[in-house]
């Protein structure tokens, strides 16, 4: 499977993306050279904790950052079907948005305009990208809502967002996104704000829609389970960098980076032996301070395997199909991630006193 | 677009509240006028009449004529009874019916406020939105400086400056006076131009700041990002999707501004000699013309209540979550 995917031409190719935001007189680097590829029809997941730069990366693809405050790296490029999106004129970018590239956002409660009916928000999208008449757009809207399994599309079209449930709203946002048959769908934590029971149905729906219209999917999440369910390839982000990339199967079987490993171990599983206590990652926050990130691995302060080198030298991510940006990954994998040095956290620091 | 429904219950409740407000206001005005020092009859006779022979008798006669010889509650009830039969009494100054005086003074005031709002609201929306679209840009800085300047400029001063420039120096527009649009639409427009500009400058200063602040906040909302992410053109995003959300607080502010304008218009009416309600009331207060002031306050109260009610209904129309 992995060899097969390598052959496919990339639809989206993010090359060495560096993003920094200006805040007052300071410029804060957020993304430090991220590269990703999404082939046509491929489903790629991006995982990472809050502030790791997943959403910033996705918004860069659509050019949705505030232009006045955003600086991209000089060697950064986001190629989509052969054009560099970072250097695309705003007019052309706008045509791509909602047309060839669509996005589903995290919070359905705030992502729909509260003072407009669903029809007033959905119809213009259809009319802009498909040049439909009012009536044709209305029919297309009904069909789009039916496609996301909304039972009474005509009534829902005449509803205001506050009259609908969270699951319905997310379905509507998905319908808006896929209505114009995009080639790439970016879903930014599409289920994080939903009830657990609704999450599964929305994920299944997304999966179906992507398969049906042969879309590529770039799925952003902090939930390993969501990646396992939907994606074939994944990127793990930490503090504005990709720390590990590889086929989902490979990563779940054998992750190379201590952070990925920590994430997987802290995910509760339904099958297999039940651990006495769920593993956790050491507390701490990904540090966005530029001077700190330059001097070493940004995960070092939380890493149980960190050695001196980790604080002085930034590890590089190889461009291999499965790769990790860690100085010690080979020896760690070979040793089965045995905690082998004094920098390891004590159990109390790692676990806390959680009740079961 | 679906029209939000309005419950009749809400309307009835509002109406009942309005009547309550009117009663309370009428009581306050009635008492305020009578409990402050000064005798309208004495004022009418003038200071030179004091001590003249027959002054006391004349004063008593005048009191009887004005109905001031009755106890206060009775006076109040007589006034209320008059209102219910459409009679607000006669002015102390010249015996003209208050209703006729007010009817003559209302058009200039209403035109002044109405025209000013009709110009200032769209203008503030366009300026505020444009500035919010590019915060800390040139437009933004210009707008904020302009808004500060207009707020810091006293309206009477600006009015006088305009009169000096356009009437005295350039002879383009009349300095004072009001011409009814029924008499001559052209003369009406010329007579209203300077007063309206004066009020608009003040209003734009106030409203633009609100529009700007609201649009900045709304512009950062997720649904605005959604609209952009769907490829909606920027002007549509701003002036349709974002603006409608920003309008909600703006409606409340315009409602309050209307109330402030009715009394604030006194100065502008005075400067331009429009003969509006404000000017009429000022006269009435100085001469303790009870019926005139009472009638004027009643009219203003009714107008303000009507506008607040309208704002409330408009609110529900703009924001479907409120119905």
């Amino acid at each position: 499977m992995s060899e097969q995917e390598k052959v496919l031409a990339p639809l989206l190719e993010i090359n060495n993306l560096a993003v920094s935001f200006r805040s007052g007189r300071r410029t804060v680097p957020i993304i430090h050279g991220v590269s990703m590829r999404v082939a046509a029809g491929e489903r790629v997941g991006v995982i990472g904790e809050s502030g790791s730069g997943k959403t910033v990366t996705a918004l860069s693809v659509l050019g949705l950052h505030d232009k006045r405050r955003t600086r991209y790296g000089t060697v950064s490029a986001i190629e989509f079907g052969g054009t560099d999106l970072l250097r695309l004129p705003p007019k052309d970018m706008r045509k791509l948005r909602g047309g060839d590239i669509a996005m589903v956002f995290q919070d359905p409660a705030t992502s729909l305009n509260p003072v407009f009916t669903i029809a007033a928000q959905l119809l213009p999208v259809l009319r802009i990208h498909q040049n439909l008449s009012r009536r044709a757009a209305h029919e297309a809207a009904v069909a789009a809502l039916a496609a996301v399994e909304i039972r009474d599309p005509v009534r829902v079209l005449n509803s205001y967002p506050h009259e609908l449930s969270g699951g319905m709203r997310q379905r509507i946002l998905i319908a808006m996104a896929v209505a114009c048959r995009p080639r790439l769908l970016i879903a930014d934590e599409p289920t994080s704000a939903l009830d657990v029971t609704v999450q599964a149905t929305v994920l299944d729906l997304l999966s179906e829609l992507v398969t049906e219209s042969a879309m590529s999917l770039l799925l952003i999440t902090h939930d390993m389970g969501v990646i396992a369910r939907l994606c074939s390839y994944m990127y793990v982000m930490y503090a504005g960098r990709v720390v590990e990339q590889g086929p989902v199967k490979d990563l779940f079987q054998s992750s190379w980076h201590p952070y990925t490993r920590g994430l997987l171990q802290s995910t509760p599983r339904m099958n297999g032996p039940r651990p006495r206590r769920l593993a956790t990652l050491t507390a701490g926050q990904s540090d966005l301070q530029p001077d700190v990130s330059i001097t070493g691995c940004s995960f070092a302060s939380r890493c149980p395997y960190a050695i001196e080198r980790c604080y002085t030298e930034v590890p590089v991510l190889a461009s291999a199909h499965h790769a990790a940006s860690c100085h010690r990954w080979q020896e760690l994998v070979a040793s089965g991630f045995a905690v082998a040095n004094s920098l390891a956290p004590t159990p109390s620091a790692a676990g806390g006193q959680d009740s079961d | 677009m679906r029209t939000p429904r309005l419950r009749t219950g809400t309307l009835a409740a509002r109406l009942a509240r309005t009547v309550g407000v009117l009663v309370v206001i009428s009581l306050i005005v009635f008492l305020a006028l009578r409990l402050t020092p000064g005798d309208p009859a004495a004022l009418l006779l003038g200071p030179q009449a004091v001590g003249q022979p027959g002054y006391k008798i004349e004063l008593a006669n005048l009191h009887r004529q004005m109905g001031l010889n009755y106890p206060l509650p009775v006076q109040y009830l007589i006034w209320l009874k008059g209102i219910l039969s459409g009679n607000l009494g006669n002015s102390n100054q010249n015996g003209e019916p208050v209703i006729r005086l007010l009817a003559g003074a209302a058009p200039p005031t209403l035109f002044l406020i109405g025209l000013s709002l009709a110009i200032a609201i769209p203008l503030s929306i366009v300026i505020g939105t444009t500035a919010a679209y590019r915060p800390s840009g040139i437009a933004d800085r210009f707008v904020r400086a302009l808004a500060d300047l207009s707020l810091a400029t006293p309206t009477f001063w600006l009015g006088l400056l305009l009169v000096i420039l356009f009437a005295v120096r350039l002879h383009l527009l009349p300095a004072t006076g009001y011409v009814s649009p029924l008499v001559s639409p052209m003369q009406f427009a010329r007579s209203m131009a300077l007063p309206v500009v004066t009020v608009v400058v003040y209003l734009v200063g106030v409203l633009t700041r609100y529009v700007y602040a609201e649009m900045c906040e709304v512009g950062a909302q997720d649904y605005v990002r959604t609209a952009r992410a769907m490829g909606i053109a920027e002007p549509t995003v701003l002036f349709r999707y974002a603006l409608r959300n920003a309008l909600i607080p703006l409606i409340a502010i315009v409602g309050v501004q209307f109330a402030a304008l009715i009394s604030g218009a006194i100065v502008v009416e005075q400067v331009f000699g429009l003969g509006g309600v404000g000017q009429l009331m000022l006269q009435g207060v100085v001469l303790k013309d009870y019926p005139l002031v009472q009638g004027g306050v009643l009219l203003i109260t009714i107008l303000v209540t009507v506008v607040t009610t309208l704002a409330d209904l408009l609110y529900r129309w703009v924001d479907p979550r409120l119905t």
Side-chain angles (χ1 to χ4, degrees):
Chain A
M1 175 169 134
S2 58
E3 289 309 310
Q4 203 181 342
E5 265 164 15
K6 261 186 164 172
V7 182
L8 291 172
L11 175 69
L12 176 77
E13 201 166 1
I14 301 174
N15 280 321
N16 213 347
L17 178 71
V19 183
S20 44
F21 291 145
R22 209 154 43 89
S23 144
R25 248 178 279 159
R26 279 183 347 133
T27 302
V28 185
I30 306 291
I31 307 282
H32 316 266
V34 160
S35 297
M36 290 181 187
R37 278 164 52 107
V38 183
E42 193 186 12
R43 300 154 163 215
V44 174
V46 179
I47 195 166
E49 60 196 36
S50 305
S52 61
K54 312 172 298 248
T55 303
V56 173
T57 305
L59 291 176
S60 301
V61 174
L62 277 171
L64 283 177
H65 293 303
D66 187 342
K67 282 193 183 57
R68 285 153 284 152
R69 300 178 49 206
T70 313
R71 296 282 170 277
Y72 295 106
T74 43
V75 292
S76 304
I78 300 178
E79 305 251 338
F80 178 78
T83 46
D84 184 358
L85 300 182
L86 288 182
R87 282 150 193 94
L88 202 62
K91 219 176 171 183
D92 299 327
M93 189 72 231
R94 206 182 68 227
K95 276 180 199 149
L96 278 183
R97 288 186 201 138
D100 276 341
I101 309 175
M103 187 155 176
V104 176
F105 293 99
Q106 177 173 1
D107 192 350
T110 56
S111 293
L112 283 168
N113 200 320
V115 299
F116 286 93
T117 57
I118 303 304
Q121 301 182 56
L122 176 53
L123 264 61
V125 179
L126 291 161
R127 297 189 65 183
I128 287 169
H129 295 291
Q130 303 188 335
N131 260 326
L132 297 177
S133 67
R134 252 199 100 73
R135 179 171 305 187
H138 192 270
E139 277 165 26
V142 171
L145 291 188
V148 293
E149 289 156 23
I150 283 176
R151 243 171 266 139
D152 193 352
V154 180
R155 186 185 61 81
V156 169
L157 273 178
N158 279 316
S159 304
Y160 287 96
H162 72 275
E163 297 166 327
L164 306 167
S165 71
M168 288 256 261
R169 278 183 265 190
Q170 193 59 303
R171 279 165 199 274
I172 288 162
L173 282 160
I174 292 172
M176 278 172 90
V178 302
C180 300
R181 310 249 151 229
R183 287 152 76 196
L184 172 67
L185 179 67
I186 302 174
D188 186 2
E189 308 205 17
T191 55
S192 301
L194 299 177
D195 271 339
V196 181
T197 45
V198 184
Q199 283 183 5
T201 56
V202 168
L203 284 178
D204 287 344
L205 176 71
L206 258 181
S207 177
E208 264 168 50
L209 289 168
V210 168
T211 313
E212 260 171 40
S213 35
M215 277 179 258
S216 300
L217 176 69
L218 185 64
L219 181 89
I220 293 161
T221 180
H222 53 239
D223 187 340
M224 278 288 191
V226 172
I227 296 244
R229 199 169 179 137
L230 255 68
C231 302
S232 58
Y233 195 82
M234 68 187 281
Y235 293 90
V236 181
M237 285 191 74
Y238 185 83
R241 285 193 173 83
V242 172
V243 294
E244 186 162 2
Q245 63 188 36
V248 172
K249 268 188 193 158
D250 295 9
L251 258 85
F252 271 69
Q253 249 161 39
S254 162
S255 48
W256 296 351
H257 197 283
Y259 177 62
T260 318
R261 213 181 151 74
L263 276 185
L264 280 166
Q265 279 175 346
S266 57
T267 307
R269 291 178 186 239
M270 298 287 273
N271 44 16
R274 185 165 174 258
R276 209 177 57 81
R277 164 173 279 151
L278 196 61
T280 53
L281 280 163
T282 324
Q285 234 183 336
S286 44
D287 209 323
L288 293 174
Q289 287 295 313
D291 44 321
V292 176
S293 58
I294 286 164
T295 54
C297 171
S298 41
F299 187 59
S301 62
R302 292 173 68 185
C303 182
Y305 311 102
I307 53 173
E308 223 178 298
R309 187 186 171 200
C310 300
Y311 290 95
T312 56
E313 192 184 324
V314 181
V316 184
L317 184 77
S319 59
H321 200 51
H322 184 180
S325 69
C326 174
H327 294 306
R328 301 185 67 197
W329 74 266
Q330 275 139 323
E331 48 168 314
L332 287 173
V333 170
S335 71
F337 281 87
V339 177
N341 67 55
S342 55
L343 286 166
T346 56
S348 64
Q353 292 301 314
D354 294 16
S355 59
D356 282 9
Chain B
M1 166 109 343
R2 213 178 84 199
T3 354
R5 51 235 135 106
L6 278 175
R7 282 188 215 110
T8 39
T10 339
L11 264 177
R14 269 222 73 102
L15 225 59
R17 213 159 0 141
T18 305
V19 172
V21 168
L22 284 176
V23 169
V24 172
I25 297 271
S26 73
L27 256 175
I28 292 174
V29 176
F30 183 87
L31 288 176
L33 281 169
R34 280 160 180 81
L35 298 182
T36 45
D39 180 348
L43 275 171
L44 208 61
L45 289 174
Q48 69 282 355
V50 182
Q52 301 248 338
Y55 176 69
K56 289 244 161 109
I57 301 169
E58 224 174 313
L59 205 61
N61 277 338
L62 211 49
H63 276 155
R64 228 185 334 272
Q65 214 179 307
M66 292 176 173
L68 297 176
N69 52 334
Y70 297 110
L72 286 186
V74 177
Q75 285 186 37
Y76 181 70
L77 288 177
I78 291 174
W79 182 56
L80 271 193
K81 201 182 135 210
I83 293 173
L84 292 178
S85 57
N87 177 14
L88 293 179
N90 296 333
S91 161
N92 283 347
Q93 300 159 64
N94 46 22
E96 265 204 76
V98 168
I99 276 242
R100 200 186 302 158
L101 287 172
L102 286 176
T109 302
L110 290 181
F111 276 123
L112 176 64
I113 295 172
L115 287 173
S116 301
L117 282 172
I119 295 170
I121 293 171
L123 204 61
S124 317
I125 286 174
V126 170
I127 298 176
T129 307
T130 315
Y133 176 49
R134 295 200 173 285
S136 66
I138 295 171
D140 170 34
R141 263 173 239 178
F142 178 72
V143 160
R144 278 194 283 181
L146 203 70
D148 285 344
L149 196 68
S150 98
L151 280 184
T153 308
T155 44
F156 72 87
W157 183 72
L158 179 67
L160 288 174
L161 278 189
L162 289 173
V163 167
I164 290 171
L165 181 64
F166 288 96
V168 179
R169 285 278 163 83
L170 300 174
H171 299 291
L172 285 175
L173 296 163
T176 55
Y178 167 79
V179 180
S180 161
L182 297 173
V183 174
S184 159
M186 193 56 214
Q187 290 301 315
F188 165 74
R190 284 164 52 86
S191 69
M192 290 308 282
L194 294 182
V196 166
V197 167
T198 309
V199 179
V200 163
V201 167
Y202 159 77
L203 270 180
V204 166
V206 176
L207 297 180
T208 299
R209 298 169 75 93
Y210 283 108
V211 174
Y212 174 81
E214 276 308 315
M215 285 301 287
C216 281
E217 200 182 312
V218 170
Q221 297 294 314
D222 285 351
Y223 51 79
V224 172
R225 189 180 59 184
T226 306
R228 289 198 177 111
M230 298 294 168
I232 306 285
E234 197 58 31
T236 316
V237 171
L238 288 179
F239 285 98
R240 184 172 156 79
Y241 292 104
L243 183 59
R244 200 184 174 107
N245 285 278
L247 277 184
I248 298 165
L250 195 67
I251 291 169
I253 289 148
V254 169
V256 173
Q257 280 300 319
F258 179 85
L261 273 182
I262 284 210
S263 43
I266 294 176
V267 175
V268 178
E269 284 174 8
Q270 196 76 31
V271 167
F272 291 99
L274 290 180
V277 176
Q279 237 177 316
L280 192 67
M281 294 277 290
L282 196 60
Q283 259 175 54
V285 171
V286 171
L287 293 171
K288 289 236 144 199
D289 190 340
Y290 291 171
L292 182 59
V293 176
Q294 282 169 192
V297 171
L298 192 71
L299 174 72
I300 291 174
T301 313
I302 290 174
L303 279 177
V304 170
T305 335
V306 165
V307 167
T308 345
T309 310
L310 278 180
D312 219 45
L313 296 179
L314 207 58
Y315 239 36
R316 285 155 206 276
W317 180 69
V318 169
D319 191 346
R321 286 165 295 186
L322 291 175
T323 34

